[in-house]
Amino acid sequence: MTKKICILGSTGSIGVQTIYVAKKLGIKVVGLSAHKNVDLLIKQARELSPDILCIVDEKYYPLLKENFPDKIVVTGQQGLINIATYPHADLIVNALVGISGLVPTVEAILAGKRVALANKETLVTGGKIIKRIISQKQEKDSLPILIPVDSEHSAIFQCLVGEDKKNVKKIILTASGGPFRGKKFEELQSVKLEDVLMHPTWNMGKKITVDSATLINKGFEVIEAMFFFDKGCDDIEVLIHPQSIVHSMVEFVDGSVKAQLSYPDMRLPIEYALTFPERGKAVAAPLDLAKVKNLTFEEPDFDTFFLLKIAYDCAKEGESYPIVLNAANEEAVKYFLEGKIGFVDIMKYVAKIIEGHRLQKIETVEDILVIDAEARRRFKNLVEGEKS
Ligand code: NDP
Ligand code: MG
């Protein structure tokens, strides 16, 4: 079992829950990173006494170093890479948000690390490259290099244990439907930030909470599943399941369907990623289906939540399309959280950026970063151009 981990993004929702699980399992946390939240990072470091600490924003480096003069203290993008490749860790938990997770994942794999991946933007933007690197690195019969943390992908991963991939017919990704399930597009015009942030079943970081409200999060998960499980997007279906008890399903060629169920609690997929191929007991909460009573399922509304449809189109096109989708969405969510655009503008602007994009092939991580930067520039021009 894993004994020592580094956590990239330890101050976020997944990061904090990973610390909880690691402590319960007796796993030593040897590295931590934050972007700006130096106060929480200092608190975590006092409690866990890791070997290495990273604060990405250089402004806070002196304060961190002053508090921990005897530890390795790093900063900036290189600092994240130092955490991702720290020689004394057996596993790196990537709980960063956005494309900031891409390079650390790549560097961790190149350094021979196993990665528990929560950061879905890594595979949305870099799936093609990561798959290539893994195929060069993965030894037959050894534990997988990448292990999913996202609850749906953890569910599918668990359903596939002991199965031959060639017998998988279809993957069914469940989605809660978010806070606006059942609403029509016109009804979304007036929603406020606080409505968007009220997710019905999960308590998560702000970015993914907004993504869950537009349903682009599920589109990203379709792309993530393509790379994790070697399937085309036509073999991945989205099903709305408001109770968030069935975390996803796999249909096999004989018509049999396997599912993984639990209460919605991210600590469970985190624990599974840390203990695989064993199972831990750190967060065990027996599921009482008699109390849950109803498990319901319905088709997604692709007309209202059209970013889900656009994500499927981008998944089909591949190459630069998912990168541009991610970049435009990251910018749109940022503008929305800053109060500069409305909720439906996220959907409209992302759609416009995709409409104006022409496919570019990608071969390297550098290609991805260039396409990402260009898409962000186009987004800024579009929004600020329309405003002036
Ligand atoms: P949060 O926003 O709560 O946390 C993000 C973490 O990354 C924080 O530690 C933050 O530091 C750090 N960070 C943010 N921006 C940067 C940057 N540019 N460079 C380096 N570090 C950065 O996110 P979540 O924990 O909600 O999500 C993390 C990932 O996991 C996302 O990809 C999300 O989609 C995925 N995920 C999350 C789930 C959840 O339940 N939260 C469920 C399934 C997947 P600081 O605190 O200093 O800002
Ligand atoms: Mg998920």
Side-chain angles (χ1 to χ4, degrees):
M1 199 185 96
T2 306
K3 294 199 171 59
K4 292 181 179 177
I5 61 171
C6 282
I7 307 172
L8 293 160
S10 65
T11 49
S13 157
I14 295 288
V16 166
Q17 295 180 83
T18 303
I19 291 176
Y20 173 93
V21 174
K23 273 166 46 188
K24 287 263 183 180
L25 292 171
I27 291 173
K28 171 87 182 127
V29 180
V30 292
L32 294 173
S33 93
H35 186 211
K36 291 176 190 289
N37 192 347
V38 73
D39 294 338
L40 181 55
L41 183 64
I42 290 174
K43 198 166 155 251
Q44 292 177 338
R46 289 226 172 93
E47 189 195 345
L48 300 166
S49 191
D51 307 343
I52 178 164
L53 292 169
C54 171
I55 184 83
V56 176
D57 190 328
E58 294 174 11
K59 199 165 59 230
Y60 302 105
Y61 173 82
L63 176 63
L64 191 61
K65 185 68 198 167
E66 191 185 300
N67 272 273
F68 299 99
D70 303 328
K71 302 223 178 274
I72 312 169
V73 180
V74 290
T75 186
Q77 293 308 311
Q78 181 54 45
L80 277 184
I81 296 172
N82 294 138
I83 302 280
T85 59
Y86 184 59
H88 302 296
D90 332 305
L91 180 82
I92 309 299
V93 178
N94 186 339
L96 297 169
V97 65
I99 199 170
S100 67
L102 174 66
V103 172
T105 309
V106 170
E107 292 294 331
I109 299 170
L110 288 174
K113 300 287 170 200
R114 295 181 59 232
V115 180
L117 190 67
N119 177 261
K120 62 192 74 186
E121 296 88 348
T122 286
L123 288 179
V124 171
T125 58
K128 177 181 165 181
I129 310 279
I130 301 232
K131 213 167 155 179
R132 188 175 70 206
I133 302 173
I134 287 183
S135 69
Q136 290 158 356
K137 281 257 170 199
Q138 182 80 59
E139 287 165 34
K140 217 168 172 278
D141 299 329
S142 63
L143 289 174
I145 291 176
L146 268 195
I147 178 152
V149 170
D150 212 343
S151 56
E152 296 75 4
H153 305 77
S154 176
I156 297 158
F157 189 82
Q158 294 183 48
C159 291
L160 290 177
V161 170
E163 299 287 352
D164 192 329
K165 273 192 185 164
K166 75 171 192 308
N167 291 328
V168 174
K169 186 166 173 225
K170 193 162 83 181
I171 285 170
I172 303 158
L173 282 178
T174 52
S176 72
F180 307 130
R181 182 176 60 87
K183 295 225 183 303
K184 290 288 159 213
F185 190 71
E186 304 71 56
E187 298 174 80
L188 300 181
Q189 305 283 345
S190 56
V191 301
K192 305 251 171 331
L193 177 62
E194 55 269 29
D195 308 324
V196 176
L197 293 182
M198 285 284 281
H199 195 279
T201 50
W202 296 100
N203 183 8
M204 310 177 284
K206 280 189 183 163
K207 196 253 176 191
I208 184 176
T209 305
V210 178
D211 289 351
S212 300
T214 60
L215 254 63
I216 198 172
N217 178 54
K218 212 45 59 178
F220 289 152
E221 291 184 355
V222 169
I223 302 173
E224 190 184 5
M226 288 167 71
F227 290 105
F228 259 123
F229 307 113
D230 248 332
K231 280 278 165 203
C233 58
D234 291 338
D235 299 324
I236 304 171
E237 200 175 286
V238 170
L239 191 61
I240 304 294
H241 165 51
Q243 297 81 15
S244 299
I245 297 286
V246 175
H247 296 300
S248 275
M249 302 178 242
V250 178
E251 184 183 320
F252 295 91
V253 286
D254 60 358
S256 186
V257 176
K258 268 190 179 177
Q260 184 261 337
L261 285 72
S262 74
Y263 291 118
D265 182 345
M266 281 310 295
R267 295 174 305 173
L268 185 57
I270 292 170
E271 178 185 60
Y272 191 75
L274 297 185
T275 56
F276 179 80
E278 303 295 327
R279 282 187 183 270
K281 296 183 201 149
V283 291
L287 178 61
D288 187 342
L289 282 174
K291 275 206 182 114
V292 174
K293 283 200 167 57
N294 295 315
L295 298 178
T296 59
F297 301 93
E298 61 201 47
E299 285 185 354
D301 174 355
F302 285 98
D303 294 330
T304 299
F305 300 98
F306 53 82
L307 285 186
L308 179 57
K309 161 90 178 53
I310 290 177
Y312 265 102
D313 296 341
C314 290
K316 205 166 266 172
E317 293 285 344
E319 299 292 338
S320 54
Y321 269 95
I323 302 166
V324 173
L325 181 72
N326 178 68
N329 181 65
E330 275 193 41
E331 287 300 310
V333 171
K334 198 169 86 200
Y335 273 61
F336 171 67
L337 290 174
E338 287 168 357
K340 292 181 182 159
I341 62 173
F343 178 68
V344 292
D345 296 331
I346 301 175
M347 306 187 191
K348 286 185 189 163
Y349 284 128
V350 171
K352 267 198 179 169
I353 293 291
I354 291 299
E355 217 177 275
H357 179 63
R358 295 292 162 264
L359 187 128
Q360 288 165 268
K361 288 256 177 206
I362 51 156
E363 294 304 333
T364 62
V365 172
E366 194 46 45
D367 292 345
I368 298 172
L369 299 179
V370 168
I371 289 166
D372 172 79
E374 172 58 20
R376 285 171 201 263
R377 252 194 312 276
R378 281 184 50 221
F379 184 91
K380 199 159 180 270
N381 290 343
L382 175 67
V383 177
E384 295 186 2
E386 277 194 7
K387 284 191 159 175
S388 60

